[in-house]
Amino acid sequence: MQLSRESKIVCGLMLLLVPTIMYGGLTLLGILTDGSAGTKPGNLSLDETQKSLWRAGHAHAGVWVILAFILQPLVDQTALSKALQWVARSGAPIASILVPAGFFGLAFMPAFKSLIYLGIVFLAASMLLTGVGLLRNTSTIGK
């Protein structure tokens, strides 16, 4: 598999951000175990709803980053313009930041739910564009 320059850039940037997800997991572990494992941030105390929102945020970050990695070589194979490829290519990584941020923020302020919806729009655009672009490029199969 040969990655395009654009895929290499996006994947490289995402790899640099993966340690933030790892740190988030360590922090979440500290919160859930009350500091007996992981790293508990100061004297932060969360109720059960807040803990659930933090779990959801961390899970979405990890899963959607993996999806964003998988998407990169697929975008390379689409029959989309370069501009639309960039939209498709960047939507999933942007969503992998917005949605978790929305969950983390929602644990403290209801207004953060808008980040979740915005992230969903980015991910949906990314998936739909990539899917359409791949289907438009099926004429090159087997040639």
Side-chain angles (χ1 to χ4, degrees):
M1 167 180 39
Q2 185 73 7
L3 290 178
S4 68
R5 178 180 182 273
E6 293 84 359
S7 285
K8 290 176 185 177
I9 290 169
V10 173
C11 287
L13 290 172
M14 286 191 306
L15 284 169
L16 293 175
L17 294 175
V18 166
T20 65
I21 299 171
M22 296 165 62
Y23 176 75
L26 190 63
T27 302
L28 182 59
L29 183 61
I31 290 168
L32 297 177
T33 63
D34 201 31
S36 65
T39 306
K40 188 172 181 193
N43 59 359
L44 180 65
S45 180
L46 302 177
D47 64 29
E48 288 306 311
T49 300
Q50 291 171 318
K51 287 178 183 178
S52 294
L53 288 167
W54 277 46
R55 279 188 197 104
H58 185 67
H60 280 79
V63 171
W64 287 14
V65 162
I66 292 169
L67 181 59
F69 279 120
I70 293 168
L71 189 72
Q72 299 311 308
L74 295 177
V75 172
D76 289 343
Q77 301 302 313
T78 62
L80 297 172
S81 69
K82 289 293 182 189
L84 285 178
Q85 280 186 342
W86 269 110
V87 173
R89 180 179 310 289
S90 62
I94 291 170
S96 74
I97 294 169
L98 290 176
V99 171
F103 280 119
F104 297 140
L106 185 58
F108 302 102
M109 292 178 47
F112 276 91
K113 69 182 175 189
S114 60
L115 290 179
I116 297 170
Y117 299 129
L118 184 59
I120 290 168
V121 169
F122 273 95
L123 185 64
S126 187
M127 298 296 108
L128 291 170
L129 280 171
T130 303
V132 168
L134 286 169
L135 292 172
R136 287 181 57 203
N137 199 24
T138 58
S139 62
T140 60
I141 294 176
K143 291 185 179 179

